[in-house]
Amino acid sequence: MRELPIVKALSAVENATVLDPLVATVQAVVDAALQPRALRDLLHGVPAGHPLHPVLVLVPTGSWISAAVLDAMPGQEVAARRLVAVGLLAVTPSALAGFADWAATHEQQKRVGLVHSAANLVATGLYGASYVQRLRGRQTSAKLLGWAGLGAVGLGGFIGGHLAYRQAVGANHAEELPHLVGPGWHPVAPIDDVPEGRLTQYEVDGERVTAFRRGDGVDVLSDVCSHLSAPLSQGEVTTEGGEACITCPWHDSVFSLRTGEVVHGPATSPQPVFETRVVDGVLEARLPHAG
Ligand code: FES
């Protein structure tokens, strides 16, 4: 089946380097504004274990869709105006969460994300104008502006779908590991060859893992970062709250080495952790629930 023209256009936007100066400007503003890191973690959805932005956008989108339905009915002006206002109030937290996620993406995703936010900005402007017209009692223009805003919201939502499903922003990039690794124990390397205190990349049943040896114990995690697939073996070992952690080399997500839990975003999904043992001088690893 042929792709829709809009999807082709978005594929072109992915590589539209003409957007890069604007991307750099917005990036600088977002990086300066979204401080401290605890705020960014909250906006990413780290405490929830899922991205927060898709949840927050339900409020303005749902309010405005409902307002559009009421606008098609007689005598619903007050309720429609209130719903438009609710949507306008909900835009800010939704946009902040979106920009927090956007700031930690690849170039292609940032270009499309910029167009996504532009469509939503147009929608917000149209709904703002619609609300003013409602206050003035000019119902016809208010409704027309609202319906135009809904069109822009729909376009923004479509582009958001492209970001999430075509470009995999917000998805767990380590999800497939249990389906790729066979069940049971797999050899990793002779234990004497595993260096102490240094991240080292190995393969377990054909899948990349990173190992970190501390004395007799070895932590083995998937080497593919759950955020956007960076090789964690090229990251750094750090300490957070007294716990040894691994920091991703691309967007600085921090995971517990022992449990794989997310300590800091942008990742929201934990890093798969293998169980380990040493048999006849060989380090072996097993992924719980694999196969
Ligand atoms: S790939 Fe983005 S934090 Fe790891």
Side-chain angles (χ1 to χ4, degrees), residues 225 227-230 232 248 250-253 266-267:
C225 178
H227 177 236
L228 282 175
S229 304
L232 284 186
C248 178
W250 285 0
H251 310 109
D252 293 335
S253 283

Side-chain angles (χ1 to χ4, degrees), residues 7-289:
V7 178
K8 282 187 179 170
L10 290 173
S11 298
V13 169
E14 290 178 18
N15 298 304
T17 54
V18 68
L19 293 171
D20 289 357
L22 184 56
V23 166
T25 302
V26 177
Q27 178 87 45
V29 172
V30 171
D31 288 347
L34 297 186
Q35 299 291 344
R37 187 166 201 182
L39 172 64
R40 290 204 304 279
D41 284 347
L42 185 67
L43 291 171
H44 288 308
V46 172
H50 291 133
L52 194 59
H53 180 62
V55 178
L56 294 180
V57 297
L58 291 175
V59 182
T61 307
S63 300
W64 290 340
I65 290 173
S66 303
V69 173
L70 292 181
D71 277 344
M73 300 175 178
Q76 299 295 330
E77 287 79 7
V78 174
R81 189 182 73 223
R82 287 176 178 162
L83 283 168
V84 169
V86 168
L88 287 168
L89 290 171
V91 161
T92 301
S94 170
L96 288 176
F99 276 115
D101 291 346
W102 172 88
T105 54
H106 296 311
E107 293 82 355
Q108 292 84 352
Q109 296 158 341
K110 283 193 173 127
R111 293 172 193 136
V112 175
L114 208 60
V115 178
H116 168 67
S117 61
N120 290 332
L121 191 66
V122 169
T124 304
L126 288 166
Y127 272 107
S130 172
Y131 185 73
V132 170
Q133 293 301 79
R134 287 170 204 269
L135 290 177
R136 290 175 174 167
R138 296 177 183 165
Q139 296 301 332
T140 302
S141 60
K143 290 178 181 182
L144 290 174
L145 285 163
W147 286 325
L150 191 63
V153 168
L155 177 62
F158 190 93
I159 301 170
H162 187 89
L163 278 162
Y165 301 115
R166 178 67 68 95
Q167 297 186 281
V169 174
N172 174 10
H173 288 252
E175 190 280 334
E176 62 269 33
L177 190 67
H179 316 296
L180 297 171
V181 173
W185 293 97
H186 303 277
V188 181
I191 188 67
D192 290 342
D193 292 352
V194 180
E196 181 107 17
R198 181 156 59 87
L199 293 168
T200 311
Q201 187 188 93
Y202 294 101
E203 281 195 1
V204 170
D205 202 18
E207 299 305 313
R208 286 189 290 126
V209 298
T210 185
F212 186 76
R213 183 174 175 186
R214 294 183 273 181
D216 290 340
V218 184
D219 298 304
V220 175
L221 298 83
S222 168
D223 193 43
V224 180
C225 178
S226 67
H227 177 236
L228 282 175
S229 304
L232 284 186
S233 53
Q234 294 177 19
E236 284 182 6
V237 174
T238 51
T239 304
E240 291 276 343
E243 174 146 12
C245 295
I246 186 167
T247 299
C248 178
W250 285 0
H251 310 109
D252 293 335
S253 283
V254 178
F255 303 93
S256 162
L257 263 173
R258 189 173 52 85
T259 65
E261 283 177 1
V262 179
V263 178
H264 292 299
T268 58
S269 298
Q271 201 59 19
V273 173
F274 290 73
E275 298 168 346
T276 59
R277 68 180 184 183
V278 177
V279 176
D280 296 333
V282 175
L283 174 65
E284 295 183 345
R286 175 173 70 178
L287 185 66
H289 313 300

